[in-house]
Amino acid sequence: MKDKNLRNMLLLTVLALLALLLPALLIELGVIDPYSAQIITLGGINAIMAISVNVIAGITGQLSLGQAGFEAIGAYMVIALTESLHIPLPLSMLLAALTAAFAGFLIGFPTLKLEGDYLAIVTLAFGEIIRVFLVNLKDLTGGPNGKQFSTILTTSLEHGAMISYLAIIGSLLLIIVFLHNFIRSTYGRAILAVREDEIAARSNGISVFRYKMIGFVMASFIAGIAGGLYAPFLGFIQPKQFDFNASINDLIYVVFGGMGSVTGSVIAAFSLTILQEALRILKDYRLLIYPVLLILMMLFRPQGLLGTKEISFTSLYEKAPAFCRRLCRQLRSRSKKEA
């Protein structure tokens, strides 16, 4: 059993390193052009936001429409800490994520006592309050027109595209690993119990409000990380980039990927980000693609791409030899029939 666990851990480590280092090497060698690298990296930020929404909607079982507000807190805190206090960028990102988590803690006390539509409306209002506040904070944000933050623009560096990719995709992989282990822990199983049936969880001694708060604060922290990566990646941001539409886009990733499926949300975020850029030649007509895809998904696959399931690379590795043998037998039998 220990040998199997060690093998699985080594397999996942190798796959994670390949996913992180191989594309970064291709970007540095110019095989992946800067434009494609930017799209892939932006997909990583969207995937982090999708995970943030999935922690609340899919894992905790609550509906939040204000996650873009926590992303905005992370983005502008990075800017304030880096430009005003001259704190190193990695430390600024961590502090920005902690600030977003603290904001989630403050918001969670009054809102998590609500359920369903009421919780969605309150979190939506919170996101809009943050956006309006940032619009009027002109010294930091530049008002509605936004502001250029050239001092922390990593893409202006010599190896900026590779640095951005490593920072964002590396953060995404760490979040996936952390969340995977958290869900399998005692706290994670308690949160899943609350999601399935609050009354049954409460009758078994589980504090429903406490575990809802843990999930909400964790989702806020992850959204703060996404914002802290988003600001230095683009170098120019506006408050309207964190409006209601941004929260809805993040929710769409989760709906497409599957409520409760982390890997499904990540796949959906990358796929829809790349699709949106590929359809840019259609101009404004490309905005019709999202609603059509969403309608088709709700009609034919309402649970999303993966539902609540996760892609297990260790299971695929174990099933690969049997699949290859079965495929070879089918090819040999077919060739004999044709002969």
Side-chain angles (χ1 to χ4, degrees), residues 11-43:
L11 174 64
L12 294 174
T13 302
V14 170
L15 289 175
L17 290 175
L18 286 175
L20 180 64
L21 299 178
L22 183 59
L25 179 61
L26 296 177
I27 291 171
E28 186 66 16
L29 295 176
V31 177
I32 299 178
D33 59 273
Y35 174 75
S36 300
Q38 187 178 25
I39 301 305
I40 295 172
T41 309
L42 182 60

Side-chain angles (χ1 to χ4, degrees), residues 200-213:
R202 190 179 288 109
S203 65
N204 283 277
I206 297 175
S207 176
V208 172
F209 179 78
R210 176 189 177 189
Y211 286 102
K212 281 185 178 180
M213 178 66 75

Side-chain angles (χ1 to χ4, degrees), residues 106-159:
L106 295 179
I107 297 298
F109 267 105
T111 59
L112 292 180
K113 297 177 182 179
L114 304 172
E115 295 181 359
D117 299 338
Y118 300 103
L119 176 62
I121 292 171
V122 171
T123 53
L124 171 62
F126 163 73
E128 286 300 298
I129 288 171
I130 292 295
R131 184 187 63 81
V132 173
F133 177 76
L134 292 173
V135 167
N136 290 278
L137 198 64
K138 296 183 179 179
D139 292 338
L140 175 65
T141 66
N145 295 325
K147 188 176 179 182
Q148 185 78 28
F149 303 104
S150 57
T151 57
I152 58 173
L153 184 60
T154 56
T155 52
S156 65
L157 302 175
E158 183 180 357
H159 305 285

Side-chain angles (χ1 to χ4, degrees), residues 78-101:
V78 163
I79 292 164
L81 294 173
T82 306
E83 290 200 335
S84 301
L85 301 179
H86 305 290
I87 296 176
L89 186 57
L91 181 59
S92 297
M93 290 180 180
L94 178 60
L95 293 175
L98 291 174
T99 304

